[in-house]
Amino acid sequence: MSGEQLTVGVLGAGRVGTAVGRQAVRAGHTVKIATSRPAEENRLLTEVVVPGATAADPQDFADADLVIVAVPLNKHRSIDASALQGKVVVDAMNYWVGVDGFLAEFDGTRSTSEVVGELLGDVRLVKTLNHIGYGELEVEAKPAGAEDRRALGVASDDAAAKALVSGFVDSLGFDVVDAGELAAGRAFENGSEIFTGRHTAAQMREVLERDTARV
Ligand SMILES: NC(=O)c1ccc[n+]([C@@H]2O[C@H](COP(=O)([O-])OP(=O)(O)OC[C@H]3O[C@@H](n4cnc5c(N)ncnc54)[C@H](OP(=O)(O)O)[C@@H]3O)[C@@H](O)[C@H]2O)c1
């Protein structure tokens, strides 16, 4: 797949982190994967599960064009946010009470990504990749222009960050629908119509327009 070649940091080597990592390697990006453990402990796992990617420590994200955060939301306090300051950061996380337990900070009226952005500090946050199953990421990817290509929504308060991440998502094999500001990311949070379904770009725009008309 074509597009700008990026250096991509992935925080979290679980289901989503490794699937995004593999797909990003296929797209020609340079991929570094880190967890809460030292890089040395992730070297073998990375070689086997995400061939072509490098096991890293969060500090190695210094030269990353963007960093994807794919850790369970209830671990957010243990994230090394210092490595993310000033960066374009993709929030791929979801709040699941059944999985994460009750998290008071995520139970208010704001979108989960607005809260994540505040907790992470000076980051250029973009919400996307949270509303596709890890098992679908590789099998549903299609080249640009393909019939029935699946779309993913992006939401951010930072237009340049959103444009960069949109190009990245396209390179992974998906159309991109701009949902607007970070607050609008609520439209594809856990439990929403977009979260639970599969949409082309036209179908997703229809859902977003319907939601807006209802407000
Ligand atoms: N599963 C899906 O299909 C899917 C799809 C879209 C979005 N999501 C969302 O993505 C997030 C991750 O889900 P998952 O299913 O990939 O979880 P997972 O399989 O449990 O993997 C979590 C990963 O995060 C790492 N981690 C934990 N704490 C960390 C920290 N402080 N710093 C860096 N890495 C840390 C873990 O490694 P260590 O414990 O070794 O650090 C592990 O590699 C969740 O919020 C989920 O809702 C999931």
Side-chain angles (χ1 to χ4, degrees):
M1 290 169 197
S2 62
E4 194 186 349
Q5 288 199 350
L6 304 171
T7 297
V8 177
V10 183
L11 199 59
R15 287 162 287 199
V16 177
T18 56
V20 172
R22 280 191 298 274
Q23 199 58 8
V25 168
R26 276 187 201 112
H29 303 297
T30 298
V31 178
K32 302 180 181 189
I33 302 193
T35 68
S36 63
R37 299 161 205 266
E40 193 49 49
E41 288 184 30
N42 290 327
R43 202 144 284 153
L44 182 61
L45 169 114
T46 305
E47 269 174 36
V48 173
V49 182
V50 195
T54 311
D57 292 308
Q59 291 70 27
D60 299 325
F61 293 164
D63 67 345
D65 297 297
L66 60 92
V67 178
I68 295 147
V69 179
V71 313
L73 199 57
N74 63 11
K75 298 278 172 60
H76 73 80
R77 290 195 189 282
S78 67
I79 291 174
D80 180 1
S82 68
L84 306 178
Q85 299 312 292
K87 293 264 162 219
V88 174
V89 172
V90 172
D91 176 14
M93 300 181 288
N94 293 296
Y95 176 38
W96 296 82
V97 180
V99 174
D100 294 306
F102 174 72
L103 302 174
E105 59 272 49
F106 291 99
D107 228 49
T109 52
R110 289 187 305 163
S111 68
T112 60
S113 289
E114 286 175 285
V115 179
V116 166
E118 198 173 281
L119 294 168
L120 293 181
D122 178 24
V123 296
R124 303 170 63 196
L125 201 67
V126 182
K127 184 184 190 69
T128 189
L129 293 175
N130 71 301
H131 50 295
I132 179 164
Y134 74 98
E136 297 167 338
L137 253 161
E138 291 162 283
V139 295
E140 291 236 30
K142 289 185 180 174
E147 204 183 322
D148 196 37
R149 193 185 199 215
R150 183 168 175 170
L152 296 178
V154 293
S156 179
D157 296 337
D158 183 318
K162 187 157 57 176
L164 180 79
V165 172
S166 296
F168 172 69
V169 169
D170 180 71
S171 78
L172 296 184
F174 300 90
D175 279 344
V176 179
V177 173
D178 184 350
E181 297 182 344
L182 209 48
R186 208 179 286 110
F188 37 92
E189 282 183 1
N190 175 16
S192 65
E193 183 174 345
I194 291 175
F195 184 92
T196 50
R198 180 203 184 280
H199 300 86
T200 61
Q203 290 164 341
M204 191 178 291
R205 282 192 196 101
E206 229 178 87
V207 175
L208 290 169
E209 277 163 26
R210 213 186 311 131
D211 279 2
T212 310
R214 247 190 241 129
V215 178

